Amino acid sequence: MTSLDQPTVALAGDVRMPLLGFGTWQATGQAGYDAVRAALDAGYRHVDTATMYGNEQEVGRAVRDSGLAREDVFVTTKLPPERVGRERETIEASLRALGLSHVDLWLIHWPPSGADGSVPVWRELLAARDDGLTRAVGVSNYDTAGLDELTEATGQTPAVNQIRWSPSLYDARRHAEHRERGVVLEGYSPFKSTDLADPVLVRIAAAHDVSPAQVVLRWHLDHEIVVIPKSVTPERIRANADIFSFSLTAQEMGEIDALGG
């Protein structure tokens, strides 16, 4: 399976991002390497890491050892708050650790708390993109006002905003605000705040002969929201990747949306 076999969303600059990604938070050392290899073997073509995860070296080695072509694996990493002011040094260190000439997406992991705010950091990300160190740039954990601040200051809108997202957190207005701005919403921790025993999810899962967890992931994809489940268990990694053989009806999507209150 190549990246073209999976649903993707377009980012600026003719970049396509697979809607299903593999999260690697807390997956470090050999376990982290093994998890990424298992994910790539299971068909994932998008891997999400970050400087603060401390696993870029293992992630990069797993991507190289997979035998997949570099262009078939979408790799994201992130700039941590304590590296503000050292943006170029940080992405160059990330690339060395990953063993890559570029990443596909570089994100500001959290909004900086300093008096200068996010704009100077955002300008550094844009410069790194323009210099070919990353194909696209975006942010994580930003509210809508934060997105607008960056766009108004630079004329450049973040390609992606990675935020915590799940059916119980569904916010139609916030989702619409991203769409209106051309910002791809990427959800992390899809299961952490989800009751997989919820009768709505259980009933919909039974109708498709899948698990409630697979329904949650498919719900993201059918909304064109990128999702990055994480696991170090091979069986669960494979199950989370097996979501391309069914889709949800409009009624089912509405019922799941309603779980957000």
Side-chain angles (χ1 to χ4, degrees):
M1 182 183 292
T2 72
S3 57
L4 298 179
D5 295 321
Q6 297 185 17
T8 60
V9 63
L11 308 182
D14 198 29
V15 177
R16 298 209 66 91
M17 182 181 190
L19 286 172
L20 176 66
F22 185 69
T24 65
W25 179 54
Q26 296 181 320
T28 57
Q30 187 64 36
Y33 170 84
D34 291 342
V36 176
R37 281 298 306 272
L40 295 171
D41 288 346
Y44 288 87
R45 294 297 179 263
H46 167 188
V47 181
D48 180 273
T49 184
T51 295
M52 68 167 50
Y53 296 171
N55 62 9
E56 288 174 318
Q57 189 169 348
E58 290 85 355
V59 167
R61 185 161 58 91
V63 170
R64 292 193 304 277
D65 291 353
S66 71
L68 295 166
R70 170 67 186 92
E71 61 268 22
D72 284 337
V73 184
F74 188 101
V75 178
T76 298
T77 193
K78 311 180 194 79
L79 173 83
E82 66 272 15
R83 303 290 293 187
V84 167
R86 293 182 289 167
E87 293 86 0
R88 182 59 61 102
E89 173 190 338
T90 300
I91 192 169
E92 289 175 350
S94 288
L95 294 175
R96 284 195 300 272
L98 288 161
L100 300 176
S101 62
H102 69 276
V103 289
D104 298 284
L105 179 64
W106 193 30
L107 305 178
I108 303 174
H109 206 152
W110 292 90
S113 57
D116 292 337
S118 295
V119 173
V121 184
W122 181 235
R123 292 189 193 279
E124 290 297 321
L125 265 72
L126 293 172
R129 181 200 63 189
D130 292 346
D131 289 343
L133 301 180
T134 180
R135 297 172 69 214
V137 287
V139 298
S140 183
N141 300 299
Y142 274 61
D143 59 18
T144 303
L147 298 174
D148 289 344
E149 177 189 23
L150 300 183
T151 303
E152 290 164 7
T154 66
Q156 299 279 321
T157 301
V160 172
N161 185 22
Q162 185 183 117
I163 58 177
R164 196 173 176 209
W165 199 259
S166 70
S168 67
L169 300 176
Y170 184 69
D171 182 336
R173 180 176 177 180
R174 194 171 191 197
H175 188 195
E177 288 171 347
H178 282 74
R179 285 198 308 267
E180 290 161 3
R181 289 159 175 77
V183 178
V184 171
L185 197 162
E186 178 176 13
Y188 67 81
S189 298
F191 305 132
K192 197 163 188 180
S193 59
T194 298
D195 177 7
L196 294 176
D198 186 285
V200 171
L201 297 177
V202 171
R203 174 171 46 79
I204 293 173
H208 293 277
D209 194 26
V210 297
S211 71
Q214 289 169 314
V215 167
V216 168
L217 297 177
R218 187 71 223 190
W219 170 80
H220 284 76
L221 268 60
D222 286 347
H223 266 313
E224 291 199 324
I225 293 171
V226 178
V227 63
I228 48 172
K230 66 183 184 68
S231 176
V232 295
T233 306
E235 295 78 9
R236 191 167 299 162
I237 289 170
R238 287 193 292 270
N240 288 344
D242 187 17
I243 57 172
F244 300 112
S245 60
F246 74 102
S247 60
L248 302 174
T249 67
Q251 179 176 334
E252 290 168 339
M253 291 290 288
E255 290 182 81
I256 298 171
D257 291 352
L259 297 178

